[in-house]
Amino acid sequence: MIGRLNHVAIAVPDLKAAAALYGGTLGAKVSAPIAQPKHGVTVIFVELPNTKIELLHPLGDESPIAGFLARNPSGGIHHVCYEVDDILAARDRLKASGARVLGDGEPKIGAHDKPVLFLHPKDFLGTLIELEQA
Ligand SMILES: CC[C@H](C(=O)O)C(=O)SCCNC(=O)CCNC(=O)[C@H](O)C(C)(C)COP(=O)(O)OP(=O)(O)OC[C@H]1O[C@@H](n2cnc3c(N)ncnc32)[C@H](O)[C@@H]1OP(=O)(O)O
Ligand SMILES: [Co+2]
């Protein structure tokens, strides 16, 4: 069911400093900051030959990553995103297996203008999983 690794997301306390680290020290191609108010984050994409890194910083008072950063003030890997061919079929199969789909269970449009869903980290080895429709 899961396919390509679409991205690994890192929650960061300082987006500008994180972009300088990836774009300068690590010599990667980084995007400008992109506000994603519907997701409560500002994102910078780091383009790699085989996948992407998403640098995330909270946006607004209701950011879903604020708690994570409070627990991990230096930042940390926040989630991994796998591609699926059919996100609704994947959702239904996962729900039938007892996995918790976060939110109202309906896919939302993510940062790559594709439908995305999130699965509870406690059901997947302490790892927050995002599924993105390929
Ligand atoms: C712009 C879109 C972009 C894209 O398209 O790629 C994005 O990726 S947007 C990314 C931001 N959006 C989300 O993350 C949505 C899904 N996330 C959530 O709904 C919350 O973050 C949630 C429910 C996973 C965690 O919420 P909260 O931090 O408030 O903590 P809880 O007390 O509810 O956590 C319960 C339990 O889970 C542990 N936890 C929390 N976050 C993570 C994590 N990222 N990785 C691993 N574990 C996590 C937390 O420590 C609690 O554990 P416990 O042992 O019970 O203390
Ligand atoms: Co993501």
Side-chain angles (χ1 to χ4, degrees), residues 16-30:
K16 197 167 170 214
L21 198 60
Y22 270 82
T25 311
L26 293 171
K29 182 169 171 263
V30 300

Side-chain angles (χ1 to χ4, degrees), residues 28-107:
K29 182 169 171 263
V30 300
S31 77
I34 302 163
Q36 292 276 346
K38 286 187 184 150
H39 291 274
V41 295
T42 302
V43 188
I44 283 182
F45 294 112
V46 180
E47 296 294 338
L48 302 177
N50 63 331
T51 189
K52 292 185 280 293
I53 300 297
E54 257 181 18
L55 302 174
L56 299 176
H57 188 72
L59 175 63
D61 300 334
E62 305 292 317
S63 174
I65 72 167
F68 179 91
L69 264 181
R71 292 188 295 273
N72 304 276
S74 306
I77 292 178
H78 182 262
H79 64 270
V80 294
C81 180
Y82 304 117
E83 292 178 3
V84 290
D85 290 334
D86 180 336
I87 198 163
L88 294 178
R91 175 200 61 189
D92 295 345
R93 180 171 155 186
L94 286 158
K95 284 174 77 170
S97 73
R100 286 170 283 182
V101 177
L102 297 173
D104 63 6
E106 291 309 312

Side-chain angles (χ1 to χ4, degrees), residues 2 6 10 17 19-20 25 30 33 35 48 58 64 75 85 105-106 109 112 120 124:
I2 57 173
N6 182 275
I10 301 173
T25 311
V30 300
L48 302 177
D85 290 334
E106 291 309 312
I109 298 303
H112 314 117
H120 202 289
F124 292 94

